[in-house]
Amino acid sequence: MQMDAVDQRIIALLVADARASYAEIGAKVSLSAPAVKRRVDRLRSTGVIKGFTAVIEPSAVGWTTEAFVELFCTGRTTPAQITVATRRHPEVIGAYTVSGQADALVHLRAADIGHLEQALERLRAEPFVTSTRSMVVLSRLVEAPTAIPLSS
């Protein structure tokens, strides 16, 4: 889908505040509210915008511990198998295939170290996982919502 600079600005504004009204966005991009709505509808129907969501502060709901875990898998493990397995674990907030020695990188959040250890044990019990290497997050330095770079 072709996106122009106005589409990119609308997306950036929605990423910053998904609750902004079409009129508020329109005022910032020099369009009427109905014109913004048409563009947002088009961006949604073409799959550019996948949805709108609330962003929760993990510590506010008691999930204060997080880690990145490198998964090392048996030789014929597919990304689809990793996807299915990691979705079974509520502590998994992201899973990615990666280059390098590991087969996948999994991002976990848990209430505390004990909970993290339990989640790791369950993850390690997946039949295709041969080993893991974990890195516990000490602090989050940069956390940005998904956005596209604006063209100049």
Side-chain angles (χ1 to χ4, degrees), residues 7-136:
D7 288 334
Q8 292 176 351
R9 288 180 60 210
I10 290 170
I11 291 168
L13 291 165
L14 287 170
V15 166
D17 180 6
R19 294 185 66 192
S21 71
Y22 295 135
E24 291 168 330
I25 294 169
K28 293 177 180 172
V29 298
S30 302
L31 290 176
S32 67
V36 171
K37 182 185 182 316
R38 282 192 297 276
R39 283 177 177 254
V40 170
D41 288 346
R42 179 176 44 80
L43 292 165
R44 290 184 74 194
S45 69
T46 58
V48 173
I49 295 175
K50 292 169 49 173
F52 301 91
T53 189
V55 178
I56 306 298
E57 172 55 45
S59 63
V61 293
W63 289 55
T64 59
T65 304
E66 59 188 303
F68 287 91
V69 180
E70 292 179 318
L71 291 185
F72 298 86
C73 304
T74 57
R76 298 238 180 230
T77 302
T78 66
Q81 288 173 293
I82 295 169
T83 300
V84 168
T86 55
R87 284 190 172 154
R88 285 195 288 264
H89 303 277
E91 298 85 359
V92 173
I93 61 170
Y96 318 90
T97 54
V98 293
S99 62
Q101 293 179 340
D103 296 293
L105 182 67
V106 178
H107 188 184
L108 298 173
R109 276 206 185 115
D112 53 35
I113 289 294
H115 182 195
L116 178 63
E117 184 176 19
Q118 291 170 359
L120 281 169
E121 300 270 334
R122 283 187 276 111
L123 199 54
R124 287 182 186 130
E126 292 293 343
F128 57 82
V129 175
T130 59
S131 66
T132 62
R133 183 170 39 219
S134 303
M135 294 153 281
V136 174

Side-chain angles (χ1 to χ4, degrees), residues 137-152:
V137 174
L138 299 177
S139 60
R140 283 185 268 149
L141 302 176
V142 176
E143 189 168 39
T146 302
I148 58 171
L150 297 177
S151 58
S152 27

